[in-house]
Amino acid sequence: MTNMTTRREVLGLLATTAAITLIPNQANASTPITAVRGATLIDSSGARPNTTIVLANGKIQAVGHNLPLPRGSTILNATGKFIIPGLTDMHVHGAFLDRITLPLCLANGITGIREMWGFPPIYDLRDRIDRGEVSGPRLTVGSTIIDGPHSTLPGALIVSTPEEGRQAVRDAKTQGADFVKVYSYLDRPTLTAIADECEKQTITFAGHCSNHVPLGDASDLGQRTFEHMYGLSLATSTRETQLRQAIATLPLDPANSFAWFKQVLEFERQAALSHSGSKAVRLAKRLRRNNSALCPTMVAMQVYSSPADRFANDPRMKYMPVFYRDLWLEQLKSWAPVTEREIRQQAEFFRHRQEQVAEMHGHGVEVLVGTDAGNPYSFSGFSVHDELRLLVEAGLSPKAALDAGTRNATVRPGEKADLVVLEGNPLKDIRNTQRIHTVLTRGRVLGPAERRKMLADVEKAAQEPFPTPQRACC
């Protein structure tokens, strides 16, 4: 078996970090087997000390204590370390920057991402990753973004009638989208038609809560996820009816539709000041009944709630294409608070929104980890760990935040062998998810040396010319 390593060599694997590639589609007798021994396994079922996990063909074969191993197995001694399932970023933009986004995710233990703006090259990339032709996290890809008239988003697919909405869903399904992405300016009749057509086409829809449709109503229509905490403050406010009437009569200048959007956000800020716990309970019941989840993207929302230059010197900028520095500062000109009063109000609004997400979680609503990577100072891979920290600061326990980041995964036989070996216990300090030793995914073992090389390669690639993307959104 020429692909096997001697026992003496493999016992020192974690020290030397030599990569071992599992080879699929071989006969059982010659299929390489990797066993991770001695770590505390932490997954949705709890913490299991001194666990052995046996991997082969990219799948988990066995989980237990002191398991007998086939002769020639590669053993990774992880004594004193901690293992979690691979992390997932449920709101990403930028998979098309494959030499940046994909390795940054893997190096940070992100083994699955949901790309929120799809188009044919991204569908092709998803399929190439699945075939093993490209190394990257598992990729779920949305449709092109579907929005209503006066959208603030250049490049969005604008639909003005219910029938146009239905056709957009049919086209998304034909093109290969995994789900339909909806946006902020869709009116109720069109969103209703999109929802109905999604059911007919057996495809889900997700995205922004429309500014024209209350969050609970959109959930009743079948919207699977709600991004960025939009609509949550209004839906739980004692002043919801009054503020929604103000939105309905708010003048919209087609030449400056973003001003209308910003005023709606101001109404949301005001709504947060009149929060109703009883309305939150009723909303949570609807979301649970409809299997709707919240993807708050706190990393991005914190940036948009802060002065434009607060995060400009983040050392992780070296991993971003050079055009991002100017692009991000330009984007923030329209968003960032400027005066002392605005800065104070936006910081308070952000705290209220965090508290509302924690409240919804406490009422049993699913919360997803998403970063809005690709938007200002939200970094592919890295920012998942920032999001976990912000969820804990909001009020979730480290275990609850970890479950959100791993989609409540349980490490058991038959599951994909996506695992992250950590140097510290994330249940004691969620920041320990950043202390990554080794990432295992798709039969690859990415130890410290491999991860350092990946990051160095990204840093080098980031200095090369990239076309400035036309697709930028939150």
Side-chain angles (χ1 to χ4, degrees):
M1 294 186 288
T2 58
N3 288 303
M4 295 300 179
T5 309
T6 69
R7 185 173 181 83
R8 181 184 298 274
E9 290 170 326
V10 299
L11 284 174
L13 181 61
L14 287 183
T16 62
T17 67
I20 302 294
T21 301
L22 303 185
I23 303 175
N25 302 321
Q26 290 185 333
N28 289 338
S30 59
T31 298
I33 296 175
T34 297
V36 186
R37 271 187 168 171
T40 296
L41 171 62
I42 300 171
D43 62 8
S44 63
S45 66
R48 289 173 270 176
N50 192 26
T51 298
T52 297
I53 306 173
V54 182
L55 318 171
N57 282 331
K59 294 290 185 83
I60 296 169
Q61 304 298 321
V63 181
H65 300 284
N66 301 316
L67 297 176
L69 301 176
R71 186 171 179 271
S73 297
T74 298
I75 301 174
L76 283 73
N77 179 11
T79 301
K81 295 180 172 56
F82 299 83
I83 296 179
I84 61 172
L87 295 162
T88 300
D89 190 338
M90 290 294 287
H91 195 121
V92 171
H93 296 284
F96 63 93
L97 296 170
D98 55 321
R99 294 172 60 202
I100 303 290
T101 302
L102 304 187
L104 283 183
C105 284
L106 290 182
N108 279 281
I110 317 307
T111 59
I113 61 176
R114 185 174 64 151
E115 167 61 60
M116 296 300 288
W117 194 337
F119 47 101
I122 301 298
Y123 304 140
D124 179 63
L125 177 63
R126 172 197 61 198
D127 297 341
R128 290 165 61 207
I129 291 173
D130 286 344
R131 291 194 298 266
E133 297 168 8
V134 175
S135 179
R138 303 176 197 280
L139 190 55
T140 300
V141 188
S143 68
T144 189
I145 293 177
I146 303 172
D147 204 2
H150 310 303
S151 174
T152 60
L153 190 61
L157 174 61
I158 305 303
V159 295
S160 302
T161 66
E163 182 49 42
E164 288 179 355
R166 290 182 181 276
Q167 187 60 50
V169 172
R170 293 192 287 267
D171 290 344
K173 182 72 178 286
T174 299
Q175 291 166 4
D178 294 311
F179 64 95
V180 168
K181 169 75 180 289
V182 295
Y183 218 61
S184 302
Y185 284 73
L186 290 166
D187 61 28
R188 185 185 291 268
T190 305
L191 183 64
T192 300
I194 287 172
D196 183 64
E197 192 64 32
C198 281
E199 185 174 5
K200 290 180 178 178
Q201 299 296 328
T202 63
I203 189 170
T204 58
F205 70 103
H208 286 203
C209 181
S210 170
N211 288 326
H212 299 294
V213 182
L215 191 148
D217 292 357
S219 173
D220 289 345
L221 289 173
Q223 185 160 336
R224 179 64 185 89
T225 72
F226 294 91
E227 316 300 308
H228 316 306
M229 303 176 280
Y230 292 158
L232 182 58
S233 296
L234 280 166
T236 57
S237 170
T238 59
R239 299 181 60 213
E240 181 181 14
T241 300
Q242 173 191 346
L243 291 170
R244 287 214 164 274
Q245 288 173 346
I247 292 173
T249 58
L250 183 65
L252 190 155
D253 179 3
N256 184 18
S257 59
F258 187 75
W260 186 89
F261 183 83
K262 282 291 292 280
Q263 182 57 53
V264 172
L265 281 180
E266 170 58 19
F267 289 149
E268 289 222 31
R269 186 192 69 80
Q270 294 175 24
L273 301 176
S274 55
H275 179 72
S276 166
S278 60
K279 289 195 71 174
V281 170
R282 293 195 293 273
L283 176 65
K285 288 180 179 178
R286 294 173 78 178
L287 296 177
R288 293 200 313 270
R289 181 182 68 236
N290 299 325
N291 196 30
S292 297
L294 300 177
C295 188
T297 66
M298 290 182 183
V299 168
M301 295 302 99
Q302 185 179 50
V303 172
Y304 284 123
S305 300
S306 304
D309 60 352
R310 175 166 295 177
F311 304 96
N313 295 321
D314 192 305
R316 296 171 293 187
M317 285 300 298
K318 66 183 180 181
Y319 298 114
M320 296 293 101
V322 292
F323 68 79
Y324 265 159
R325 185 174 296 276
D326 292 336
L327 176 65
W328 286 356
L329 286 173
E330 184 65 28
Q331 287 179 330
L332 287 174
K333 286 181 181 179
S334 301
W335 286 86
V338 176
T339 68
E340 293 274 346
R341 182 169 180 265
E342 289 173 339
I343 292 169
R344 185 175 62 255
Q345 286 180 336
Q346 289 303 311
E348 182 183 46
F349 182 31
F350 178 70
R351 287 194 298 273
H352 285 318
R353 296 168 98 186
Q354 283 186 294
E355 291 166 359
Q356 288 166 6
V357 169
E359 179 183 40
M360 286 289 108
H361 175 268
H363 292 319
V365 175
E366 183 180 11
V367 173
L368 306 172
V369 166
T371 65
D372 214 359
N375 278 271
Y377 311 114
S378 184
F379 302 95
S380 296
F382 292 104
S383 285
V384 165
H385 305 284
D386 299 333
E387 188 76 9
L388 291 170
R389 173 181 52 80
L390 287 171
L391 284 172
V392 172
E393 288 180 6
L396 274 68
S397 68
K399 175 64 164 56
L402 197 60
D403 286 344
T406 59
R407 303 297 312 278
N408 291 300
T410 301
V411 176
R412 57 192 174 193
E415 298 293 333
K416 296 179 178 67
D418 292 341
L419 303 169
V420 185
V421 182
L422 303 175
E423 298 280 8
N425 186 350
L427 299 183
K428 289 188 175 180
D429 187 340
I430 195 63
R431 292 172 295 182
N432 282 329
T433 61
Q434 301 174 72
R435 298 178 58 197
I436 297 172
H437 187 284
T438 297
V439 178
L440 300 100
T441 182
R442 296 181 184 271
R444 298 182 65 196
V445 179
L446 305 174
E450 288 76 25
R451 293 177 54 252
R452 283 194 297 270
K453 184 178 186 305
M454 291 170 73
L455 293 174
D457 289 345
V458 171
E459 185 175 357
K460 181 179 179 181
Q463 303 307 310
E464 299 174 6
F466 279 91
T468 302
Q470 300 302 308
R471 294 171 167 85
C473 68
C474 61

